[in-house]
Amino acid sequence: MRVAVVCASQYGATMGIAERISAELGLAGLDVRVYDAARPPHAEDVAGYDAFVVGSAVYMGHWLKDATTFVRRSQPTLLEHRVWLFSSGPLGPETTDADGADVRESTVPAEIADFTNTLRPVGHRVFFGAIDPEALSLGHRVIRKFPGAAGKIPAGDFRDWPEIEAWAREIARALVKTA
Ligand SMILES: Cc1cc2nc3c(=O)[nH]c(=O)nc-3n(C[C@H](O)[C@H](O)[C@H](O)COP(=O)(O)O)c2cc1C
């Protein structure tokens, strides 16, 4: 069974998640290929896959444009297959916010409601992300210093690898069961 993992990543943290998911799916015996959504697969390549895992980094509450463009452009193909979505966003060591809400639920990006309606994905997960302040563009450095952003974009790698791998194994189990 062939699986395409398509990922939009500005600085590499989300691509790292995509690669880890791909490695787990490969360990389960699936034939996996990772694509950068900035250089997405051609329509004919996409047509050859049995399942899709599509992910994006989240900036200002939204998926990166390359990922949304891939989803919208490939919608006819995606609709015929099982699709899992993931987002890499929240930063910091806390999994709950000041109101006690799970950060992974309060940071679901804007596009997901629409994609849930149109694609009917098997699931969507938010994973904690990572940033290296030295690598940020000037624009992102400025946003990070806005008074309203104070402390909300802390530096560091908060990716939870066991959580990511467990999710990938769930996907593998679902696919292998029906292969
Ligand atoms: C300027 C800026 C804005 C961000 N906005 C959000 C946001 O709105 N929601 C969120 O969950 N994460 C946000 N993040 C965190 C990134 O999504 C996270 O660091 C992600 O893992 C980066 O992935 P990448 O290296 O693949 O681009 C922001 C980060 C920066 C630097």
Side-chain angles (χ1 to χ4, degrees):
M1 183 170 282
R2 297 183 70 211
V3 186
V5 178
V6 183
C7 169
S9 177
Q10 186 81 45
Y11 301 108
T14 315
M15 187 54 84
I17 294 174
E19 280 163 1
R20 191 66 69 97
I21 290 169
S22 162
E24 281 297 321
L25 297 178
L27 284 175
L30 297 159
D31 180 5
V32 196
R33 179 150 174 207
V34 179
Y35 290 96
D36 183 343
R39 291 184 292 278
H42 297 298
E44 61 269 25
D45 296 333
V46 167
Y49 286 94
D50 303 297
F52 294 85
V53 180
V54 186
S56 177
V58 183
Y59 288 91
M60 317 309 286
H62 291 274
W63 264 23
L64 290 170
K65 195 164 178 287
D66 288 330
T68 55
T69 301
F70 170 78
V71 168
R72 299 213 162 102
R73 215 192 49 199
S74 313
Q75 189 171 312
T77 306
L78 296 177
L79 279 172
E80 291 173 1
H81 300 283
R82 274 181 289 176
V83 176
W84 284 263
L85 305 175
F86 73 93
S87 306
S88 122
L91 299 165
E94 303 301 333
T95 55
T96 50
D97 64 20
D99 303 321
D102 189 321
V103 175
R104 287 158 293 203
E105 286 167 20
S106 54
T107 58
V108 171
E111 290 74 18
I112 298 304
D114 178 30
F115 291 164
T116 300
N117 281 330
T118 52
L119 295 180
R120 299 270 164 219
V122 182
H124 166 255
R125 286 288 282 269
V126 170
F127 294 116
F128 277 80
I131 56 159
D132 169 5
E134 300 295 311
L136 295 180
S137 68
L138 185 60
H140 280 168
R141 283 179 201 216
V142 170
I143 292 169
R144 198 166 164 254
K145 299 284 178 218
F146 278 172
K152 287 193 186 152
I153 311 180
D157 188 346
F158 305 96
R159 290 172 294 180
D160 184 337
W161 297 115
E163 186 182 46
I164 292 161
E165 288 165 3
W167 188 64
R169 283 196 295 273
E170 265 178 46
I171 296 173
R173 272 196 297 277
L175 291 173
V176 169
K177 204 158 62 182
T178 52

